[in-house]
Amino acid sequence: MDTSLFKFDLIATEKHARAGVFHTPHGDLLTPVFAPVGTQATVKAVTPTQLTEIGASLVLANTYHLYLRPGADLVAEMGGLHEFMRWSNPMLTDSGGYQVFSLAATRKVDADGVTFKSHIDGSTHRFTPESSVQIQEKLGADIIMAFDECADPNNAVYISESMQRTHVWAERCLKAKSRPDQALFGIVQGGISPELRTQSAQFIASLDFPGHAIGGLSVGETKPEMHAMLEVVNGILPENKPRYLMGVGSPEDLINGILRGVDIFDCVLPTRLARHAAAFTPTGRINLMNASYTHDHSPIDATCTCYACRNFTRAYLRHLVVAKEMLAATLISIHNIQFLVTLVKSARQAILENRFETLAGEFLQSYQPRPTQGEG
Ligand SMILES: [Zn+2]
């Protein structure tokens, strides 16, 4: 592939934390970067113009969902995802693997691929490494992902078998790829076993991928297990390529991931929480449904510069939530995405100024996390 299109420049490091620039055909990504998720080619309740105002630079879309509806051929016919959803900045699609394993009603894995039933109408479909790449080429994101199997982290025997399959599939994805204007990332698996993670990171790093992802985390393991796996994997992955921690994005996970050398994150958490009236603040989450906000004149977060916090009181947002008005989801989503995008940007600035460890310590001290399992 033409590697100049997807060059990664490491600008500064502070211990394991990294600040870099990843060049893509739709613009430069300043890393670390947080990507909101546009499952069905839309970040729920938020327009592309609002995403730009928030400062989001990368958006993820899901191959499984878009393959089933409206179909990759239709997206290609409409000029690809960037044109279809009118997002002119960098985009990433996943391989469909994660959704097949978590959403499809039934699925059967074999050495060659996965047969599954659609969660929409029960119809039968099949993904192979080759078809996943082909679908992602039709969708046209800048970063596309190797087809992998995300297995239960607590089933050690199965994890090993599925990791071997993921490795064979990674090589098949590389062979199947034909578009020079897309970067295919390989995915490290291996559950919560340091030995398997080591094996997987070494194998994936040995292939010619322009970037690497860490899959199979935030799927039921503990936080210390996740942190230990990040340390193992990032100790092996090459310094000169970006590292993407898939499906992870609570505030404390972002800080802990950056501390351990992660460059790219994505998560549905900010928008999913917003639809349940939950908003991030520097001290933890609040729920705007709560009656204590009925007469509250303050914004969600007085330190936040987002459109919602500049204009609206908690009392108004609570009213929208209680009245089940759609604007509630939009305003709280804008705030939550901006909270994470700003957190990661301030982490980048701190790495450039060699004070990230201090920032991380202060943030983790004041932010009271909630259990986030199952929300990744
Ligand atoms: Zn805000």
Side-chain angles (χ1 to χ4, degrees):
M1 68 172 285
D2 181 2
T3 46
S4 63
L5 274 179
F6 293 99
K7 202 163 153 281
F8 179 67
D9 297 319
L10 199 54
I11 307 290
T13 57
E14 182 185 332
K15 292 195 176 162
H16 298 293
R18 296 141 54 93
V21 181
F22 187 51
H23 304 280
T24 86
H26 287 86
D28 289 347
L29 288 175
L30 304 186
T31 62
V33 63
F34 173 78
V37 176
T39 303
Q40 316 230 39
T42 165
V43 175
K44 289 185 195 303
V46 183
T47 68
T49 303
Q50 289 165 330
L51 286 174
T52 303
E53 283 168 9
I54 286 165
S57 52
L58 174 68
V59 168
L60 180 145
N62 290 118
T63 290
Y64 167 86
H65 289 280
L66 296 173
Y67 158 81
L68 288 177
R69 185 175 57 194
D73 287 328
L74 181 78
V75 174
E77 180 196 323
M78 299 308 292
L81 266 183
H82 289 94
E83 182 62 22
F84 190 43
M85 66 181 279
R86 302 297 293 168
W87 176 254
S88 55
N89 298 310
M91 287 202 70
L92 186 157
T93 49
D94 63 4
S95 70
Y98 180 78
Q99 262 84 23
V100 166
F101 289 101
S102 64
L103 275 186
T106 56
R107 82 261 179 185
K108 200 168 179 309
V109 192
D110 55 64
D112 185 52
V114 190
T115 302
F116 60 95
K117 283 194 160 59
S118 158
H119 75 289
I120 299 171
D121 61 8
S123 54
T124 300
H125 302 266
R126 184 166 171 79
F127 280 169
T128 63
E130 290 77 17
S131 73
S132 170
V133 168
Q134 197 181 27
I135 295 163
Q136 293 185 81
E137 292 195 336
K138 287 178 182 171
L139 296 176
D142 303 275
I143 302 169
I144 65 175
M145 302 304 299
F147 190 65
D148 67 328
E149 179 177 8
C150 180
D152 176 358
N154 297 304
N155 187 339
V157 177
Y158 190 79
I159 282 279
S160 173
E161 184 191 319
S162 114
M163 181 195 78
Q164 302 298 344
R165 195 157 39 227
T166 290
H167 291 175
V168 174
W169 289 356
E171 292 184 297
R172 283 171 55 182
C173 285
L174 273 173
K175 284 203 190 84
K177 182 181 181 299
S178 67
R179 276 181 68 160
D181 59 342
Q182 295 182 303
L184 173 67
F185 279 25
I187 304 178
V188 175
Q189 288 285 353
I192 48 171
S193 152
E195 292 74 27
L196 293 181
R197 284 283 172 184
T198 299
Q199 220 181 309
S200 189
Q202 284 170 343
F203 180 81
I204 295 297
S206 76
L207 304 178
D208 186 26
F209 289 111
H212 302 108
I214 306 162
L217 292 177
S218 197
V219 292
E221 79 286 356
T222 66
K223 299 280 186 187
E225 285 167 342
M226 185 206 286
H227 299 163
M229 293 307 106
L230 289 179
E231 285 160 20
V232 167
V233 170
N234 284 339
I236 295 165
L237 291 178
E239 297 268 316
N240 63 347
K241 294 178 180 181
R243 302 160 180 171
Y244 163 34
L245 177 54
M246 302 177 75
V248 172
S250 70
E252 71 277 17
D253 286 345
L254 295 179
I255 295 294
N256 278 309
I258 295 168
L259 276 171
R260 292 167 177 80
V262 175
D263 306 303
I264 303 173
F265 303 85
D266 81 280
C267 197
V268 297
L269 194 62
T271 44
R272 179 176 291 172
L273 287 177
R275 296 196 301 282
H276 293 91
F280 296 124
T281 80
T283 53
R285 272 188 226 164
I286 62 170
N287 196 300
L288 291 156
M289 181 70 101
N290 198 309
S292 65
Y293 303 122
T294 308
H295 301 277
D296 196 329
H297 289 257
S298 55
I300 299 171
D301 171 9
T303 66
C304 178
T305 60
C306 84
Y307 172 72
C309 290
R310 277 187 283 117
N311 290 283
F312 304 100
T313 61
R314 290 177 175 184
Y316 177 66
L317 293 166
R318 176 174 191 274
H319 155 68
L320 294 180
V321 168
V322 171
K324 297 188 166 49
E325 281 292 336
M326 290 186 285
L327 187 58
T330 296
L331 292 176
I332 305 170
S333 293
I334 286 173
H335 168 77
N336 282 351
I337 298 170
Q338 180 154 332
F339 184 91
L340 297 184
V341 164
T342 304
L343 179 65
V344 169
K345 279 185 183 167
S346 61
R348 185 177 197 274
Q349 191 58 37
I351 295 165
L352 294 175
E353 295 166 9
N354 205 36
R355 55 176 178 76
F356 175 61
E357 207 171 23
T358 310
L359 179 149
E362 286 168 1
F363 181 84
L364 294 173
Q365 180 86 39
S366 60
Y367 188 84
Q368 297 303 313
R370 299 272 183 90
T372 54
Q373 281 191 359
E375 288 173 347

